[in-house]
Amino acid sequence: MSQNNQASKLESKQAFLNGVAYPIKSGETILSFSRRLNDVNAIPTLCDDTRLEPYGSCRVCSVDVALTADGPKKVMASCHTPIGEGMHIHTHSPRIEKLRKNIIELVLSDLPEQTLDNCQNHPGTEFEQVVKDTGVGEVRFKQARQSISSVPLTLNKKAELSLCDDSHPYMRMDLSLCIDCNRCVRACDEIQGEQVLSVAGRGFDARIIKGQDVSFNESSCVSCGACAQTCPTGAISDVFRQQLAQAESLNKQAPIEKTRTICSYCGVGCNLEVSVQNNKILSIEAPKYAAVNSGHTCLKGRYAWRFYDHKDRLDSPLVKIDGELTKVSWDYAFKYIASRLTDIKTNHGSDAIAGISSARCTNEENYLLQKMMRAVIGTNNIDCCARVCHSPTAYGMQHSFGTGAATNSIEDLKQTDFILLIGANPTAAHPVTGAKIKQKVMKGTPLIVLDPVKTELARYANWHIQLRPGTNVAVLNMMAYFIIESGLVDDDFVNTRTEEYQSYCKAILALDIHELASIAGVDQNLVKQAAIAYAQADNAMSFHGLGVTEHSQGSRAIMCIADLVMLTGNVGRQGVGMNPLRGQNNVQGAADMGCQPHQGAGYFPVEDSDSIRYYQEHYQISDNSMVNLSQWPTKDGYKIPEMFNAALAGDLKVLWILGEDVVQTDPNQMHVVASLENLDLLIVQEIFLSETAKMADVVLPGTSFLEKSGTFTNGERRVQKVNAAVPPRTGCKTDGEIIVDMMNALGYQQEQYTSGVDLAEKVLAEISQVVPFFAGITWQNLGVNGLQWPVAKGGVDTQILHVDTFKRGLGKFHFFEFEESQEVLQNIDEFPFILTTSRNLEHYNAGTMTRRTSNEDIVSEDVLLVSKVDAIAKGITQRSKVKLFSARGEITLTAQISDKVKQGILFTTFHFPELMINRVTGDVTDMHTKCPEYKVVAVNIEKFDLA
């Protein structure tokens, strides 16, 4: 009998809850059965958390169970007892209520004396609420455990620290409140997979410790806050949870409002619950029942939000007057920009103007900016930061499959048998997804990691192929070779679902595998073992990141990954597929909305005559429009690197930048700065005076994600609601309002849009008319968990792409030979080292937001990883200052001798503007998309001479 038939048969059976019959479901416990039914007589728990495996230590969840209506009753722990047919469950019988009171009294006897008073008068924690609900009025047992205030002064400091710990910027501990439920230990293990927390001692001496009994700050804690969120008593907490509890206690007249929104850091798209009092954010939690993150988030989402009201926030438009950025009114700013834009467009044409949109802004804001550039200015010179990260993903997957987006959902990790991770470090850059992958691997799922750096997940990998940066195509071709040679091709899939296989196969088998292994610096047998294991898996998922895309052969490497997926038939069902890990929160959405120079909203090519008519019709372009039919742009616009080149050449006069700090984040900083200096007009929408904003002629103060409404699209194509938690900072406007006001100032009337939710809802309605795969999306039907595009009319979404056919019809195989980067070929003699870059867990890109939070107290600098062999050869010692230089420039930073990189390879991050790592990065880009090659930079190093 199939599993589905077994489940169906089971669900036709019944059990009785407090005398009422209900159908039961496969895999349920008594507790989950009760919760599913929303039983009004809820079963109390202490050691249970729906995100954790049943534990059964507290017995507060005990219930009476009989096998017949009149049969003898047995006390059972509901959290781990499977539901059975015909069970009669009594959740609040007299003996069960008496048992619970006894248990709670025993627990209270271990806690400070004032705890019971708190429970009865103003319960704030989960535990205090359980005490109140069970009706405990006194504690008849002698207090057994000392409170922190009664610890003898003669105890050594370490013993004191083991009870109370405030050493960390965020985490707090007071073990006098601990009830030994072990939820924190289990959360650290089962949710984050960090295993920092454990239990030392036995009986009354048992206590929670961090690492080898050190402080939070000294431990390897990654500050995810999972322990603080699950703790029922506040024994482990954080500064913001404590702030929230204090606010609730001291100011009962001002209600705490909770707003569900979406994190604006990486592409995972974690749901957040923001607690606000008097328009001030107090705390952020992760809602337990969010489809994306299920009650978990990283330290950036949970803690790094205080930038929203930082003293450095802009609070007025700025216009450069007599060489100085000067505060002006909004009206002045819009009139000034309109006058300058009109004059430049008249004298130099529409293509002298360009815009760069932002993957940190909402879909609606990105849509509006590209619409302004096309329908108001009359140019396709619009791009976004997807250009410098995942444009090769879109290009490569579109050419292979027809759609440049993730084929599956992260949820499919539950069904996969094998994971292939290429050029990504998700435990740092996509922490919630990284934790899910880590959990899966720790439980036995095989993992291949292709990465030049020994990342955290590489330590858990069955096969870590530590290739030289820039050789992805060589290694992926090797894997294809071994799959074909071993007879492991899914012939059925290849013959019915793909094209161009024969020519591809012939080219692959003609490769010199020994030469490729030598070029990539990898063990040929290791690659063979990994390839065969991947091909033999029933269901294999692949994930890739910027370590694939940010190369001169980035798009080609993407198509090579697609080749492996098609060779093995790993697409079109659960637990498989090709899944890009998007670097920023709305990279997918910005591209979907048309913020690219060759495709408009919905990915229609801008040079195609049918597409031109389509956009003209939807944007109501006529002979009387601002941009009339004859003026509508009909050729591809500038990509971001081309914008800088055109500005330097004098062809581009105006650049409008929305929320991007290109001076700090784009490669070859000196070239970027020279290009911006040569513009006639630089307009920047920002929340801080970034390095780019400092160069602007006009700065327009926008808002953070916490102050705006709209939608983000995460890496699994999930469109989710962003809801404003607080009003915009005084003097600021949401970025969507700024663009609408600008369009109006230019004479293109968009007055039907107002602000806030009204603006978001109306623009989203327009998007659903223009972008076919948004056709069934409305503000209302997104609900709390969003919808995955394509969404058909009626709101039916799509979890898995390419089930029966590819968007392009047949999947297409592409063969590419490995080509060495020009960065290496042109510079290898003078600059023999290869620098590769990425970001760390604690910070995000240019650090504009995270450096204005306590994350900077955790990590306060970018360091350079150097192998031991190279360090000895260069006379470099641990934490010595080194000079890092290339053909473009040089910087000085701190060396960290590490086994994470091989000889000849260097690694650093790019979060701190004091260093400006992009002074040394180069101009080489992906052959097809112009994505910069951040991952291969020819450099040299020297020990810094202080003299």
Side-chain angles (χ1 to χ4, degrees):
M1 183 183 293
S2 72
Q3 287 185 340
N4 287 341
N5 287 337
Q6 287 177 330
S8 178
K9 186 175 180 180
L10 183 59
E11 288 174 27
S12 67
K13 298 177 181 179
Q14 293 182 326
F16 295 82
L17 183 65
N18 296 318
V20 181
Y22 298 99
I24 61 179
K25 290 187 175 182
S26 175
E28 283 187 316
T29 62
I30 292 175
L31 182 60
S32 60
F33 169 69
S34 170
R35 283 175 173 161
R36 174 171 60 84
L37 299 172
N38 293 315
D39 182 28
V40 291
N41 296 308
I43 300 172
T45 65
L46 284 181
C47 69
D48 184 73
D49 184 322
T50 55
R51 301 166 300 163
L52 304 174
E53 293 296 321
Y55 195 58
S57 70
C58 74
R59 289 305 197 259
V60 171
C61 72
S62 295
V63 293
D64 264 332
V65 180
L67 298 182
T68 63
D70 300 320
K73 298 182 180 68
K74 183 177 181 181
V75 175
M76 294 184 174
S78 64
C79 65
H80 61 68
T81 303
I83 193 73
E85 182 181 11
M87 274 187 174
H88 288 258
I89 301 154
H90 303 275
T91 61
H92 288 74
S93 63
R95 75 164 176 172
I96 288 296
E97 293 201 343
K98 182 178 179 181
L99 172 65
R100 287 176 185 152
K101 284 185 177 181
N102 284 339
I103 293 170
I104 294 297
E105 281 190 66
L106 285 168
V107 172
L108 281 166
S109 73
D110 261 1
L111 300 179
E113 292 179 2
Q114 71 270 23
T115 304
L116 180 59
D117 180 64
N118 292 342
C119 300
Q120 293 171 332
N121 297 313
H122 42 82
T125 67
E126 181 183 338
F127 171 71
E128 289 169 352
Q129 190 61 53
V130 169
V131 174
K132 183 177 182 180
D133 291 345
T134 52
V136 174
E138 63 175 333
V139 178
R140 295 166 294 164
F141 309 106
K142 182 179 178 181
Q143 188 178 25
R145 178 182 287 170
Q146 294 173 311
S147 69
I148 186 65
S149 60
S150 64
V151 175
L153 294 175
T154 54
L155 285 181
N156 63 48
K157 194 163 186 176
K158 189 173 183 181
E160 291 182 34
L161 182 63
S162 70
L163 284 174
C164 193
D165 184 356
D166 62 358
S167 63
H168 192 274
Y170 297 122
M171 308 307 301
R172 295 290 181 266
M173 176 181 274
D174 178 358
L175 290 185
S176 69
L177 301 175
C178 181
I179 61 172
D180 299 318
C181 66
N182 283 359
R183 276 165 62 169
C184 58
V185 176
R186 291 149 55 211
C188 191
D189 180 7
E190 296 176 30
I191 296 175
Q192 182 61 32
E194 217 54 36
Q195 299 174 319
V196 172
L197 301 177
S198 59
V199 180
R202 302 179 65 182
F204 287 124
D205 294 327
R207 57 189 172 84
I208 304 298
I209 63 171
K210 291 88 63 181
Q212 298 299 310
D213 202 2
V214 296
S215 69
F216 261 126
N217 214 35
E218 295 169 307
S219 75
S220 58
C221 171
V222 294
S223 317
C224 71
C227 57
Q229 180 158 335
T230 195
C231 180
T233 67
I236 294 183
S237 188
D238 60 60
V239 292
F240 299 123
R241 289 174 69 86
Q242 290 181 346
Q243 176 178 274
L244 176 62
Q246 186 178 30
E248 288 178 313
S249 174
L250 296 180
N251 191 358
K252 295 184 180 295
Q253 303 306 312
I256 304 293
E257 298 176 354
K258 296 184 183 291
T259 301
R260 180 92 165 243
T261 192
I262 309 301
C263 182
S264 75
Y265 282 109
C266 75
V268 173
C270 288
N271 284 230
L272 305 176
E273 186 178 82
V274 186
S275 294
V276 177
Q277 187 181 61
N278 293 328
N279 289 329
K280 181 179 175 61
I281 297 174
L282 300 176
S283 178
I284 290 182
E285 292 280 299
K288 274 190 180 181
Y289 302 103
V292 170
N293 53 314
S294 303
H296 188 41
T297 187
C298 74
L299 84 163
K300 293 190 288 289
R302 190 185 299 274
Y303 299 133
W305 49 265
R306 287 299 302 268
F307 67 88
Y308 92 96
D309 64 350
H310 194 275
K311 62 181 178 61
D312 292 345
R313 278 288 300 271
L314 297 169
D315 58 7
S316 170
L318 305 172
V319 172
K320 190 168 286 182
I321 300 173
D322 297 328
E324 296 289 330
L325 285 171
T326 305
K327 288 188 177 185
V328 298
S329 69
W330 279 103
D331 186 57
Y332 180 95
F334 287 131
K335 286 180 178 177
Y336 175 82
I337 297 170
S339 173
R340 294 291 308 278
L341 285 177
T342 301
D343 181 58
I344 291 169
K345 179 179 173 181
T346 301
N347 292 310
H348 301 282
S350 298
D351 288 334
I353 302 169
I356 298 176
S357 199
S358 174
R360 283 198 292 275
C361 289
T362 65
N363 285 321
E364 294 71 24
E365 290 165 338
N366 279 283
Y367 175 83
L368 285 168
L369 186 60
Q370 67 84 32
K371 182 179 179 181
M372 182 177 83
M373 298 308 296
R374 291 183 165 114
V376 182
I377 303 298
T379 181
N380 284 317
N381 290 340
I382 177 68
D383 210 350
C384 71
C385 68
R387 177 67 46 213
V388 298
C389 60
H390 268 290
S391 54
T393 288
Y395 180 93
M397 293 182 74
Q398 283 176 10
H399 280 71
S400 294
F401 301 153
T403 301
T407 63
N408 288 63
S409 307
I410 300 300
E411 181 75 7
D412 282 12
L413 278 167
K414 293 178 180 177
Q415 282 79 38
T416 197
D417 307 306
F418 200 99
I419 301 169
L420 171 60
L421 181 63
I422 312 170
N425 184 15
T427 54
H430 307 84
V432 169
T433 296
K436 290 178 180 179
I437 293 173
K438 185 177 176 182
Q439 288 288 338
K440 188 76 175 173
V441 173
M442 288 169 67
K443 292 174 182 175
T445 300
L447 170 68
I448 302 171
V449 171
L450 269 68
D451 203 296
V453 179
K454 192 180 292 182
T455 62
E456 181 181 5
L457 285 173
R459 292 175 16 227
Y460 293 88
N462 303 73
W463 304 271
H464 177 205
I465 301 170
Q466 199 167 3
L467 71 174
R468 176 169 64 86
T471 61
N472 288 319
V473 168
V475 174
L476 293 167
N477 279 345
M478 289 176 69
M479 291 185 68
Y481 177 95
F482 290 125
I483 290 170
I484 295 170
E485 180 197 51
S486 303
L488 295 173
V489 175
D490 187 335
D491 293 323
D492 239 9
F493 186 90
V494 168
N495 293 335
T496 60
R497 296 281 308 271
T498 71
E499 61 183 357
E500 304 294 337
Y501 172 68
Q502 293 305 322
S503 59
Y504 168 81
C505 178
K506 182 179 179 181
I508 287 289
L509 292 178
L511 291 170
D512 184 335
I513 296 301
H514 302 292
E515 181 186 10
L516 291 179
S518 176
I519 287 170
V522 298
D523 181 337
Q524 178 178 319
N525 289 327
L526 185 69
V527 177
K528 182 175 182 177
Q529 292 167 18
I532 289 173
Y534 170 76
Q536 288 178 333
D538 290 334
N539 297 297
M541 287 185 86
S542 77
F543 296 91
H544 69 268
L546 305 188
V548 175
T549 60
E550 291 178 343
H551 290 279
S552 58
Q553 282 196 293
S555 293
R556 295 182 175 187
I558 293 296
M559 288 182 266
C560 290
I561 299 171
D563 291 337
L564 294 183
V565 168
M566 292 187 289
L567 277 176
T568 55
N570 276 305
V571 69
R573 63 182 188 278
Q574 281 189 325
V576 299
M578 182 172 173
N579 303 283
L581 294 168
R582 301 293 189 177
Q584 298 194 40
N585 57 295
N586 203 30
V587 169
Q588 183 67 59
D592 295 344
M593 295 302 103
C595 292
Q596 45 196 344
H598 65 296
Q599 293 173 325
Y603 298 104
F604 297 110
V606 297
E607 292 187 341
D608 178 74
S609 58
D610 290 338
S611 300
I612 291 170
R613 284 192 294 273
Y614 180 85
Y615 289 126
Q616 288 175 339
E617 179 182 329
H618 281 86
Y619 296 158
Q620 299 177 339
I621 303 300
S622 67
D623 287 330
N624 297 319
S625 303
M626 276 196 67
V627 174
N628 61 39
L629 291 171
S630 63
Q631 296 170 329
W632 182 266
T634 58
K635 64 177 183 178
D636 288 355
Y638 292 135
K639 298 177 177 70
I640 290 175
E642 295 169 334
M643 291 179 187
F644 297 140
N645 293 338
L648 200 58
D651 297 324
L652 187 67
K653 304 294 183 182
V654 181
L655 185 56
W656 184 303
I657 300 178
L658 170 59
E660 291 296 318
D661 190 3
V662 295
V663 170
Q664 189 177 339
T665 61
D666 279 47
N668 195 350
Q669 185 195 54
M670 295 302 101
H671 175 68
V672 173
V673 169
S675 301
L676 298 184
E677 287 175 338
N678 207 42
L679 291 167
D680 287 357
L681 181 63
L682 175 60
I683 304 157
V684 176
Q685 284 179 240
E686 255 296 356
I687 60 174
F688 297 108
L689 197 63
S690 65
E691 299 303 311
T692 303
K694 290 173 185 176
M695 297 187 64
D697 299 289
V698 182
V699 181
L700 303 173
T703 55
S704 71
F705 78 105
L706 293 162
E707 304 155 87
K708 65 174 65 171
S709 296
T711 58
F712 292 153
T713 305
N714 77 351
E716 56 180 1
R717 299 171 282 105
R718 187 183 299 273
V719 183
Q720 301 183 96
K721 277 187 191 178
V722 179
N723 296 298
V726 291
R729 187 180 179 91
T730 301
C732 301
K733 290 175 179 278
T734 67
D735 295 286
E737 289 178 79
I738 292 171
I739 298 166
V740 169
D741 287 348
M742 191 68 248
M743 293 169 81
N744 289 334
L746 288 166
Y748 187 100
Q749 295 304 308
Q750 289 284 14
E751 285 153 344
Q752 69 269 33
Y753 304 144
T754 54
S755 61
V757 175
D758 179 75
L759 172 64
E761 185 173 350
K762 287 181 178 176
V763 177
L764 181 61
E766 181 176 331
I767 292 168
S768 71
Q769 300 300 310
V770 177
V771 177
F773 47 85
F774 269 55
I777 293 178
T778 67
W779 184 257
Q780 289 72 28
N781 72 9
L782 284 175
V784 294
N785 283 315
L787 296 169
Q788 290 172 270
W789 69 251
V791 183
K793 290 188 175 179
V796 179
D797 68 345
T798 309
Q799 285 76 47
I800 302 172
L801 297 182
H802 318 307
V803 173
D804 299 312
T805 185
F806 289 100
K807 178 72 182 296
R808 69 181 303 278
L810 294 174
K812 186 176 181 179
F813 281 95
H814 297 83
F815 171 76
F816 300 104
E817 290 193 16
F818 166 74
E819 293 182 28
E820 189 67 81
S821 168
Q822 289 300 307
E823 172 72 6
V824 174
L825 292 175
Q826 293 173 9
N827 297 290
I828 195 66
D829 293 334
E830 188 177 354
F831 304 100
F833 291 88
I834 294 178
L835 171 71
T836 191
T837 62
S838 185
R839 66 192 194 208
N840 62 30
L841 170 66
E842 290 78 10
H843 290 287
Y844 177 76
N845 290 1
T848 307
M849 299 184 291
T850 51
R851 284 186 289 103
R852 290 179 169 91
T853 70
S854 294
N855 282 31
E856 190 166 27
D857 297 331
I858 302 173
V859 172
S860 59
E861 62 177 343
D862 295 312
V863 297
L864 184 72
L865 300 192
V866 185
S867 75
K868 185 176 181 180
V869 172
D870 291 330
I872 292 172
K874 291 285 187 176
I876 295 169
T877 55
Q878 195 71 273
R879 291 203 59 79
S880 64
K881 293 294 182 182
V882 295
K883 183 173 76 169
L884 177 72
F885 54 102
S886 72
R888 276 77 52 182
E890 67 177 59
I891 59 172
T892 302
L893 68 172
T894 301
Q896 183 175 312
I897 301 171
S898 172
D899 66 352
K900 292 182 179 180
V901 290
K902 295 166 76 171
Q903 183 180 358
I905 309 302
L906 306 171
F907 170 86
T908 191
T909 51
F910 52 93
H911 303 303
F912 291 85
E914 305 90 85
L915 291 181
M916 290 294 187
I917 192 66
N918 283 313
R919 288 175 185 160
V920 301
T921 52
D923 292 320
V924 176
T925 62
D926 172 54
M927 300 171 181
H928 303 285
T929 66
K930 300 289 184 184
C931 179
E933 190 169 43
Y934 290 106
K935 304 305 182 190
V936 177
V937 185
V939 297
N940 208 337
I941 50 170
E942 293 178 0
K943 187 173 182 179
F944 186 70
D945 187 358
L946 293 175

